[in-house]
Amino acid sequence: MKAVHAHLPKPHDPFTDLIGVKLTPPHYAYLKIAEGCNHRCTFCIIPSMRGDLVSRPIGEVMQEAENLVKAGVKELLVISQDTSAYGVDVKYRTGFSSGRPVKTRMTDLCEELGRLGVWVRLHYVYPYPHVDEVIPLMAGGKILPYLDVPFQHASARILKLMKRPASAEKVLERLKKWRTICPEITVRSTFIVGFPGETEAEFEELLEFLEEAQLDRVGCFEYSPVEGAAANALPDHVSEEVKAFRKEKFMNLQRNISAGKLKTRIGKTIQVLVDEPGISRSSADAPEIDGRVYFKGSSRLKPGEFTEVLVERSEEHDLYGRIV
Ligand code: SF4
């Protein structure tokens, strides 16, 4: 049967298939807006597996979002391989949402989602210049002041080898601009250390960037040669030992930055969404990947309820407080 299923889809099983429909708790949901990717980052094989970007029609995406909100979802996590490219394949075609004409474009989608009255969080936003357009929506409270932008590296040479855009100086400039427009913005990013050919000096450049950028949430991966990735053919692969050492050094620095940033939130009252009794998240925390806000003061609050917490203590990634 395994051999058959390798070529044909499994027969429909109403029980397990239904379980597979929604794997998140009922109060948050992932909203996939597109599939595939037009970039060709040399460390990635997604485009060869899933093809070029195909955006879902905006009317269909909004219908799904509205249905999720009607079903009790309080937080929508917008995902795709490249959220900022949404609509590029259909030339930003105009669709309809609640009878209104709306363009198939990230900014327009964010405006529409912002009308639903729930948290809207953006993931996998490639650092294009037009990303700047959504920052005022964050400042205006339409969508969460949270941006997940994978920068991957800071050295111009490594970024070029990765076939990624942007330069570290431009990124720093834009971070400054985003923070001026929306001071409460949380920026999450991911980086790769030990990319083929990464020298000690280029790694140091990355650490300097990290220090200067003061990002709120950061993930770090050691370069791993995925079968079929173009980067595998590059010369001067970094040894496993050095990769591990660099990752540790990188994460130590980020731990200090994160701890320092979270300390500034002590004494502030923040809005949180309850995940479990005594455990919640603020706008700065995406589920599963970021920190948590642990609280005391009410056992009656249920998952999916919003409340206010006075922050009393902080650690490297989490906050602790009580309901006010
Ligand atoms: S890393 Fe992301 S942007 Fe780059 S090719 Fe893969 S899916 Fe596309």
Side-chain angles (χ1 to χ4, degrees):
M1 284 314 285
K2 251 193 204 159
V4 173
H5 288 157
H7 299 281
L8 291 170
K10 270 198 294 184
H12 174 64
D13 176 332
F15 183 67
T16 52
D17 288 359
L18 268 179
I19 288 172
V21 166
K22 197 164 175 302
L23 296 168
T24 52
H27 61 284
Y28 66 79
Y30 293 93
L31 184 65
K32 187 148 201 176
I33 61 168
E35 185 66 85
C37 181
N38 290 345
H39 297 285
R40 295 294 180 265
C41 302
T42 55
F43 53 82
C44 177
I45 54 164
I46 287 177
S48 61
M49 282 164 32
R50 305 212 177 141
D52 283 342
L53 176 93
V54 179
S55 302
R56 287 180 65 200
I58 191 149
E60 196 182 301
V61 172
M62 283 308 300
Q63 188 60 61
E64 184 182 341
E66 280 165 27
N67 291 346
L68 287 165
V69 172
K70 274 187 208 143
V73 163
K74 296 289 191 295
E75 178 178 6
L76 293 166
L77 302 122
V78 178
I79 54 162
S80 67
Q81 260 83 49
D82 177 6
T83 296
S84 38
Y86 180 56
V88 97
D89 54 318
V90 292
K91 302 200 170 50
Y92 307 115
R93 187 168 53 208
T94 301
F96 287 89
S97 163
S98 305
R100 272 191 316 276
V102 189
K103 287 203 159 168
T104 312
R105 226 172 135 254
M106 180 176 71
T107 314
D108 304 61
L109 174 70
C110 289
E111 270 170 21
E112 286 305 300
L113 291 172
R115 294 178 201 270
L116 300 179
V118 296
W119 278 6
V120 175
R121 194 184 292 281
L122 300 184
H123 284 286
Y124 315 125
V125 177
Y126 199 82
Y128 293 113
H130 76 263
V131 171
D132 297 5
E133 289 174 16
V134 296
I135 312 297
L137 296 177
M138 296 179 179
K142 304 269 188 233
I143 59 171
L144 286 181
Y146 181 100
L147 204 51
D148 175 8
V149 204
F151 294 126
Q152 309 297 11
H153 212 281
S155 145
R157 192 186 75 92
I158 297 291
L159 283 169
K160 204 166 165 204
L161 287 176
M162 287 177 165
K163 286 211 178 151
R164 298 282 302 182
S167 69
E169 303 83 59
K170 279 204 187 128
V171 166
L172 290 171
E173 231 173 75
R174 290 175 72 202
L175 280 171
K176 214 171 170 187
K177 194 167 139 199
W178 294 347
R179 286 171 176 148
T180 311
I181 300 169
C182 182
E184 67 275 27
I185 192 169
T186 294
V187 183
R188 152 170 270 278
S189 193
T190 46
F191 294 86
I192 296 174
V193 293
F195 189 79
E198 183 192 61
T199 63
E200 196 52 44
E202 284 160 343
F203 174 64
E204 286 301 323
E205 201 181 326
L206 176 59
L207 294 183
E208 276 164 33
F209 169 84
L210 197 62
E211 182 76 71
E212 197 153 350
Q214 294 285 305
L215 302 171
D216 302 87
R217 308 288 189 190
V218 169
C220 176
F221 302 94
E222 291 171 33
Y223 174 76
S224 125
V226 186
E227 209 186 311
N232 298 342
L234 290 170
D236 306 321
H237 278 243
V238 177
S239 74
E240 295 304 317
E241 233 182 331
V242 172
K243 278 189 216 168
F245 177 77
R246 287 182 184 170
K247 182 181 176 190
E248 184 62 19
K249 202 166 170 189
F250 180 98
M251 286 317 287
N252 272 342
L253 173 58
Q254 181 55 33
R255 264 191 286 274
N256 289 337
I257 293 171
S258 175
K261 295 204 89 165
L262 290 185
K263 217 175 235 171
T264 64
R265 305 187 77 189
I266 296 175
K268 294 196 173 130
T269 299
I270 54 173
Q271 190 195 33
V272 296
L273 178 60
V274 176
D275 279 333
E276 292 169 46
I279 305 176
S280 65
R281 287 176 294 106
S282 71
S283 67
D285 312 303
E288 325 231 331
I289 50 173
D290 293 330
R292 288 168 153 191
V293 182
Y294 294 89
F295 65 85
K296 287 187 196 142
S298 177
S299 50
R300 289 194 309 274
L301 283 165
K302 292 192 193 68
E305 284 189 57
F306 288 106
T307 187
E308 306 271 306
V309 168
L310 171 68
V311 181
E312 297 174 316
R313 192 165 66 79
S314 66
E315 280 181 3
E316 282 164 3
H317 303 292
D318 303 321
L319 295 173
Y320 299 80
R322 64 181 158 82
I323 302 287
V324 286

